[in-house]
Amino acid sequence: MSEVVSNHYLEDLLKTYPKHSTSALPWLSQLRTEAVDRVSALKMPTTHDEEWRFTDISPLTEVPFQVAQTIPQLQPAEIKHHYLQEAATRLVFIDGQYASALSAINNDSGIIVGNLSTLLTSYSAEIAPHLGRYASFNDNIFAALNTAFLHDGAVIIVPKNISIAPPIHLLFIATQKEVTSYPRCLIIAEPGSHVTVVEDYIAQQEVAYVTNSVTEVRVADNAHVNHIRLQRDSHQAFHIANCTATLAHASNFQSINVALGARISRCNLNVQLASEGAECTVNGLALINKRQLADTHTFIDHIKPNGTSRQLHKCIVDGASHAVFNGKIMVQPNAQKTDSTQTSRNLLLTGQAQVDTKPQLEIFADDVKCAHGATVGQLDPEEIFYLKSRGLSELAARNLLTYAFGAEIINRIPIISLRNQLEKAVLEYTQSAEP
Amino acid sequence: MINQDSKPLLEVQGLHATVNGVAILKGIDLTINYGEIHAIMGVNGSGKSTLAKVLAGHSAYQVTAGAVLFDGKDLLALAPEERARMGVFLAFQYPIEIPGVANSQFLRLAYNTVQTQRGKDELDPLEFDDFVREKMKLLEMNPDFLDRSVNEGFSGGEKKRNEILQMALLEPRLNILDETDSGLDIDALRVVANGVNQFTNNDNATILVTHYQRLLNYIVPDYVHVVESGRIIKTGGKELALELETRGYDWISAENSATEGAVL
């Protein structure tokens, strides 16, 4: 891809800059203006950029993607099977636009939850200190685009010492081709609070579109956030995600990222252990087939002492698909007594499938416990034989072992109905896999 | 037990097998009738575990000569899963761990696969749960093992119990126990042996592959075969195992070379 093409693409995108972006709120207008400036200054990444070495994003620029002009009305019956029965609050977005008729809000506990454009009228003061403050768009064209086009999204602010047991379900539904949506999520857990959020991306049809999402998570002192991100976009779609979590003193962030869909997906997850005693667990699973590409870049930044991070990333790569994992763990000079482990495990199901995995550990403190490792393997013939000796066919044996490989991540999802959904998806998926 | 009227279940005739081009089995002849228990003994590397794996159909082993009939049918023509469905069961020396798959899920899948092949009804999770718990009692297994991943974090004894549990569920006609006694303490050995004894009857037969006589105190064989260099060099009754325990293997080896020398 030439730079000329990419710059035209960005110029054209900016021409579509919608009128609603002239916000009455000065702080928001300013945020958008800053982002538009960055979009004008930045370029689309190419494979010459180290961070995009394995992921050629140029196909994304070949179609003139725009913000959806009209939004179809979906009936609950069409999407009900995607609802999580455990969730008390569900926010539904169709092609990036909030659909209040399909959503359900339970804010009995004093939690501020809803869509951004509605909540801005009454909670601007609560939102302003956080929105756009954690996800830097200075060097990130996709975060800059998302912020420039910032229009709607989900806001969750959990007050001090409040525990919300039922998960909050954010359901993003893509229905149209050649549309770009810019989902935005803001999750603020005030001190001592506890919340579980599921960010769920699905498609109504197998068409090409772009999802460019930004999620900002702030976990205050002693707060606990479970964040589950589930990407099951159309296999023709492009999915770019930037997620940033900032962890305060003795807080806990549990993240599970599952990528099943999209032609090309890229997920950047940045976790900052910004204060002492913070803990994070970062789990990832990519299960891809045919010519899909799933790229996960994570950055876990131990800034202060006594932090703990646990990371397990798994890729199941079938057909001629390609998985990329780049996991960087930084231990800053001040971050003594850091305890960090990172594991990347990859399962190649065919000879054409490809995995590039790059665990990176950068340690600038001297009293730390860090371990990392990566494996790439195939199904073990001894395991297949064991299952066949119990009567299972070759395919059933391979499917069960493939499922088992992914189940280690799926079983960590603390929501039974979602676990069941994924179990079914993975088992059904693998039944089409041939050796 | 030996029953003069019983039919042969397994007939191994002049079986030769190689692994990675190296000959391991060099002419095994063995006939096992319904109801019988046969111990296959021998030093490490003699080929006794290879025989177990060849009978189960492990693809790493190539049969280069000979025949195996199972209930009169050509066993070697069948894939491992077909053998399993017909009633061949191998209890592994080192059972495989499958993290991520609950033991109950695995056991039910195996059970239902074999049941369907035999024209019987599958059991749903609840029905299966009742069924498997009964079998587990006989093996003094904690029901918690149903919820844990297959063999993951199981002790040696727990893994072997889980193997015998599978045997009990699948009701094979030929039980092949490959070094089931290895790594077991005396209590675990007793429990495993009791389990095996409860599931052996006149409708099946059992091959015990073992290095030591110890297991045979609990599961009493009708025949003891000594394998050396890929062939059975001596066959006797259960007293042969006791003799091996006191005298070791060398004397048979010597006796056998002497006999061969005489023939030559």
Side-chain angles (χ1 to χ4, degrees):
Chain A
M1 178 184 66
S2 74
E3 285 172 7
V4 180
V5 171
S6 68
N7 281 343
H8 277 167
Y9 175 76
L10 292 174
E11 280 167 25
D12 292 346
L13 261 181
L14 285 177
K15 280 181 201 151
T16 70
Y17 197 65
K19 294 201 175 48
H20 62 64
S21 301
T22 344
S23 169
L25 298 164
W27 65 266
L28 189 54
S29 304
Q30 196 197 330
L31 181 66
R32 285 181 184 138
T33 308
E34 283 168 17
V36 171
D37 288 347
R38 289 313 298 160
V39 173
S40 311
L42 291 168
K43 293 185 174 114
M44 285 293 273
T46 71
T47 51
H48 299 299
D49 295 288
E50 180 61 25
E51 289 294 292
W52 290 83
R53 241 177 88 196
F54 299 108
T55 302
D56 178 8
I57 198 73
S58 62
L60 181 145
T61 62
E62 286 160 12
V63 192
F65 296 100
Q66 299 193 354
V67 172
Q69 300 304 308
T70 54
I71 304 294
Q73 294 288 313
L74 293 182
Q75 296 308 310
E78 294 175 79
I79 57 165
K80 230 175 24 194
H81 56 286
H82 294 295
Y83 293 177
L84 296 179
Q85 64 193 53
E86 292 91 342
T89 291
R90 175 183 62 251
L91 305 179
V92 178
F93 297 83
I94 301 173
D95 298 324
Q97 289 242 18
Y98 182 61
S100 61
L102 299 169
S103 302
I105 291 176
N106 181 332
N107 51 12
D108 294 347
S109 50
I111 180 177
I112 300 170
V113 60
N115 69 307
L116 178 67
S117 58
T118 305
L119 291 181
L120 276 175
T121 54
S122 36
Y123 293 102
S124 171
E126 283 79 2
I127 295 169
H130 301 296
L131 190 68
R133 305 301 160 205
Y134 308 110
S136 165
F137 50 77
N138 205 38
D139 298 317
N140 184 323
I141 181 65
F142 293 104
L145 278 167
N146 177 288
T147 310
F149 283 86
L150 179 58
H151 163 57
D152 212 347
V155 174
I156 298 164
I157 303 177
V158 189
K160 199 171 170 179
N161 294 330
I162 295 292
S163 280
I164 312 287
I168 294 170
H169 190 198
L170 311 178
L171 184 59
F172 298 91
I173 306 173
T175 71
Q176 302 177 55
K177 63 177 181 182
E178 295 180 10
V179 153
T180 298
S181 66
Y182 297 98
R184 186 89 185 192
C185 303
L186 181 66
I187 302 166
I188 307 298
E190 298 288 11
S193 67
H194 196 305
V195 68
T196 298
V197 180
V198 180
E199 215 181 304
D200 191 1
Y201 295 85
I202 61 167
Q204 283 297 88
Q205 27 170 350
E206 276 297 303
V207 291
Y209 56 88
V210 178
T211 302
N212 174 359
S213 82
V214 170
T215 299
E216 294 177 282
V217 184
R218 153 90 189 160
V219 194
D221 294 355
N222 299 303
H224 188 127
V225 172
N226 275 318
H227 181 237
I228 297 121
R229 198 173 192 287
L230 185 50
Q231 185 269 103
R232 22 187 182 178
D233 270 314
S234 145
H235 284 209
Q236 296 181 38
F238 301 93
H239 185 105
I240 312 286
N242 282 286
C243 179
T244 301
T246 305
L247 278 60
H249 182 82
S251 66
N252 190 317
F253 178 62
Q254 306 270 328
S255 157
I256 299 178
N257 247 293
V258 180
L260 305 175
R263 172 177 164 195
I264 296 175
S265 65
R266 167 66 175 253
C267 181
N268 294 332
L269 173 60
N270 288 358
V271 182
Q272 290 186 314
L273 288 78
S275 194
E276 202 166 334
E279 279 183 45
C280 71
T281 307
V282 175
N283 296 300
L285 172 67
L287 170 58
I288 50 174
N289 198 351
K290 297 184 179 139
R291 306 200 63 84
Q292 283 180 283
L293 187 154
D295 180 347
T296 306
H297 271 57
T298 62
F299 178 41
I300 298 173
D301 193 3
H302 286 270
I303 299 167
K304 297 283 173 166
N306 291 307
T308 304
S309 63
R310 295 283 175 268
Q311 180 170 33
L312 174 62
H313 190 81
K314 290 192 152 191
C315 300
I316 302 172
V317 195
D318 200 355
S321 63
H322 183 183
V324 180
F325 173 67
N326 189 304
K328 185 167 168 180
I329 294 180
M330 173 82 86
V331 182
Q332 307 265 12
N334 195 16
Q336 299 293 0
K337 305 281 181 194
T338 287
D339 179 355
S340 168
T341 62
Q342 179 191 58
T343 309
S344 157
R345 292 200 196 289
N346 303 282
L347 177 62
L348 293 173
L349 293 177
T350 69
Q352 294 80 51
Q354 187 184 341
V355 169
D356 289 288
T357 177
K358 186 177 171 193
Q360 279 177 279
L361 200 47
E362 292 183 18
I363 304 176
F364 298 97
D366 54 11
D367 184 14
V368 300
K369 200 164 83 182
C370 295
H372 69 164
T375 59
V376 179
Q378 292 161 311
L379 293 176
D380 181 350
E382 292 299 321
E383 294 178 2
I384 294 174
F385 174 64
Y386 184 66
L387 295 176
K388 286 166 83 173
S389 80
R390 300 305 183 247
L392 273 65
S393 68
E394 170 89 20
L395 190 57
R398 293 178 64 89
N399 284 350
L400 188 67
L401 292 171
T402 304
Y403 160 75
F405 186 86
E408 194 181 358
I409 300 291
I410 293 171
N411 288 342
R412 294 179 182 197
I413 295 175
I415 302 161
I416 292 168
S417 73
L418 190 54
R419 224 159 44 215
N420 291 343
Q421 266 189 40
L422 283 173
E423 258 174 39
K424 195 161 166 279
V426 175
L427 277 173
E428 278 174 6
Y429 166 88
T430 56
Q431 271 154 22
S432 65
E434 288 295 339
Chain B
M1 75 168 81
I2 301 173
N3 181 339
Q4 298 306 332
D5 302 331
S6 69
K7 293 188 299 167
L9 172 62
L10 184 78
E11 296 160 90
V12 180
Q13 299 157 349
L15 187 64
H16 288 67
T18 63
V19 60
N20 295 326
V22 179
I24 309 287
L25 300 185
K26 300 168 185 168
I28 297 271
D29 292 291
L30 177 65
T31 297
I32 297 178
N33 295 318
Y34 276 99
E36 294 174 354
I37 297 176
H38 290 237
I40 309 275
M41 302 185 72
V43 296
N44 288 335
S46 60
K48 58 190 195 298
S49 278
T50 297
L51 176 62
K53 285 185 173 145
V54 168
L55 292 176
H58 195 297
S59 61
Y61 300 85
Q62 281 86 46
V63 173
T64 49
V68 179
L69 299 180
F70 181 77
D71 217 14
K73 295 182 194 72
D74 180 6
L75 188 71
L76 300 177
L78 302 175
E81 61 271 30
E82 294 169 318
R83 299 182 196 195
R85 293 165 193 169
M86 274 177 62
V88 176
F89 181 85
L90 172 64
F92 280 53
Q93 182 178 2
Y94 301 110
I96 304 292
E97 297 185 4
I98 314 176
V101 174
N103 207 23
S104 58
Q105 190 184 1
F106 163 66
L107 295 172
R108 192 169 73 88
L109 189 57
Y111 176 80
N112 280 341
T113 304
V114 168
Q115 286 295 102
T116 312
Q117 289 294 319
R118 293 174 186 164
K120 293 178 185 161
D121 289 338
E122 294 191 0
L123 294 184
D124 69 29
L126 286 176
E127 294 167 331
F128 183 76
D129 197 61
D130 292 341
F131 178 67
V132 72
R133 277 166 193 266
E134 282 305 308
K135 302 277 185 192
M136 289 176 90
K137 274 186 204 160
L138 300 173
L139 288 162
E140 299 177 29
M141 280 177 85
N142 189 326
D144 290 351
F145 283 96
L146 290 173
D147 298 326
R148 290 169 56 180
S149 289
V150 179
N151 292 329
E152 190 190 27
F154 287 26
S155 70
E158 288 160 353
K159 283 182 181 171
K160 297 299 171 76
R161 280 185 219 198
N162 208 34
E163 293 293 287
I164 304 307
L165 175 63
Q166 292 166 46
M167 183 184 121
L169 291 171
L170 300 181
E171 297 183 331
R173 282 185 287 169
L174 180 64
N175 310 309
I176 307 166
L177 276 55
D178 187 8
E179 309 247 3
T180 294
D181 50 338
S182 69
L184 294 189
D185 63 31
I186 201 73
D187 291 326
L189 183 68
R190 180 185 51 76
V191 171
V192 165
N194 282 346
V196 173
N197 285 331
Q198 294 196 47
F199 305 124
T200 52
N201 54 49
N202 278 329
D203 297 320
N204 59 33
T206 300
I207 298 175
L208 306 168
V209 175
T210 182
H211 190 91
Y212 300 104
Q213 187 271 339
R214 195 176 65 147
L215 175 67
L216 309 181
N217 289 333
Y218 297 92
I219 308 173
V220 180
D222 300 304
Y223 296 97
V224 174
H225 309 278
V226 178
V227 176
E228 189 192 86
S229 301
R231 285 183 303 131
I232 291 174
I233 56 165
K234 192 172 183 67
T235 293
K238 64 181 180 213
E239 63 289 345
L240 176 59
L242 290 168
E243 204 171 351
L244 287 169
E245 184 75 1
T246 48
R247 295 179 65 190
Y249 284 97
D250 291 348
W251 63 275
I252 302 182
S253 207
E255 193 178 76
N256 187 53
S257 337
T259 319
E260 281 191 349
V263 170
L264 287 171

